[in-house]
Amino acid sequence: MLTPMDIHNKEFGKGMRGYKSDEVDEFLSEVAEAYETLYRENREMTDKVEYMEKRLSQYESTEETMRNTLVLAQETGENVKEAARKEANLILEEAGQERKKILEDANRTLREAEAKYATIANEMAVFRAKVESILTAQLQLLDGISLQNNSETNVSLAKIATTEVTDTEA
């Protein structure tokens, strides 16, 4: 590539009817300055493009990392949600089993209590019947004793009355 220094240092041979060397030197000087300005701007632009490409590469790398991180975060979030759903279902299932067990225990206890109540009610009825039977027998016994005593009392009273009558007659 041609540099501004190459243009500035270029010398032409002199011929017979050549160009005016002052005009050529002046024009070459202008061209060298313009080319030098363009060359410097081009170099600055090239450096800037390289810098921008490096920055772009960094941004693209960061973007890719962020995209991967986002995907990973979404997957992790979904995994956490799924694990939470499974745990919730497990808790609900365990609660349902516990509820079922408690109800079964309560029903069994109720049946046992009802059976005990029926047994006690039956024993109470038997006890009541025995007590009533004993009381009835006792009342009958008392009635029998009372009737005997009344007959004996009447017999005794009759004897007394007979004895009194005989005594008064005598």
Side-chain angles (χ1 to χ4, degrees):
M1 176 175 212
L2 190 63
T3 66
M5 208 55 150
D6 292 337
I7 294 173
H8 193 25
N9 292 332
K10 179 69 175 164
E11 290 192 24
F12 296 98
K14 297 195 179 185
M16 229 191 232
R17 292 199 316 161
Y19 295 105
K20 293 183 181 176
S21 75
D22 290 342
E23 287 179 10
V24 170
D25 287 343
E26 188 180 316
F27 180 72
L28 284 176
S29 226
E30 287 176 17
V31 168
E33 285 178 25
Y35 189 77
E36 186 177 347
T37 303
L38 289 175
Y39 186 80
R40 193 178 319 115
E41 287 176 357
N42 185 19
R43 187 74 231 148
E44 288 173 0
M45 291 296 175
T46 303
D47 290 345
K48 197 171 189 177
V49 165
E50 286 176 5
Y51 174 75
M52 292 299 182
E53 285 177 348
K54 286 180 184 176
R55 297 276 312 256
L56 178 62
S57 177
Q58 289 174 345
Y59 288 135
E60 287 173 344
S61 174
T62 302
E63 178 186 15
E64 184 63 27
T65 302
M66 291 175 76
R67 186 176 294 124
N68 291 339
T69 302
L70 180 60
V71 168
L72 182 63
Q74 287 173 337
E75 289 174 357
T76 302
E78 289 300 319
N79 290 342
V80 167
K81 284 181 188 178
E82 185 62 28
R85 278 189 208 108
K86 286 180 180 178
E87 187 174 348
N89 288 338
L90 182 62
I91 289 170
L92 288 174
E93 189 176 311
E94 287 174 356
Q97 291 173 352
E98 185 68 23
R99 179 183 151 269
K100 185 178 178 181
K101 181 182 174 193
I102 289 170
L103 286 175
E104 288 173 355
D105 288 347
N107 285 334
R108 183 178 32 76
T109 303
L110 179 63
R111 285 191 302 274
E112 288 172 359
E114 287 173 344
K116 280 184 181 180
Y117 176 78
T119 302
I120 290 171
N122 189 28
E123 289 174 358
M124 183 101 157
V126 169
F127 179 73
R128 184 179 191 145
K130 285 181 181 178
V131 169
E132 285 178 359
S133 173
I134 291 170
L135 287 176
T136 304
Q138 292 296 319
L139 285 174
Q140 288 174 354
L141 183 65
L142 284 175
D143 283 345
I145 292 174
S146 188
L147 286 177
Q148 260 185 352
N149 282 342
N150 278 345
S151 334
E152 288 176 9
T153 306
N154 287 341
V155 169
S156 296
L157 287 176
K159 281 186 187 177
I160 293 175
T162 315
T163 310
E164 284 182 4
V165 171
T166 34
D167 284 340
T168 24
E169 290 179 3

